[in-house]
Amino acid sequence: MTEKRLVIRPNKYNGATSVTSMRLPKDMLTAVDAVAAETGKTRNEILLLSIEFALDNMQIEKND
């Protein structure tokens, strides 16, 4: 049997926060809220995790 471990990682982004506003398609917001409800996280936490993932994994293609 594998040993159970509680792994706690520090937040990548911390410090002062800033309030921002954005428009999302209603069906996308519904999907975000469904994930939040299923995971017990807030909408804000799901959006922060999603944006962090996107920033870490995006590829920017330059127009030549």
Side-chain angles (χ1 to χ4, degrees):
M1 181 179 351
T2 59
E3 182 180 341
K4 294 183 180 182
R5 293 178 185 242
L6 173 61
V7 178
I8 300 173
R9 294 180 179 88
N11 290 333
K12 184 172 182 179
Y13 299 97
N14 54 28
T17 62
S18 182
V19 176
T20 187
S21 174
M22 63 187 292
R23 294 185 185 276
L24 298 174
K26 288 183 180 182
D27 54 345
M28 181 183 289
L29 188 56
T30 299
V32 169
D33 287 341
V35 171
E38 184 176 333
T39 61
K41 299 215 178 268
T42 65
R43 176 191 288 174
N44 188 68
E45 289 174 303
I46 298 303
L47 291 171
L48 285 173
L49 288 168
S50 299
I51 292 169
E52 182 178 333
F53 179 84
L55 288 170
D56 288 345
N57 294 285
M58 72 173 51
Q59 178 178 331
I60 300 172
E61 294 183 5
K62 305 282 185 181
N63 291 334
D64 293 328

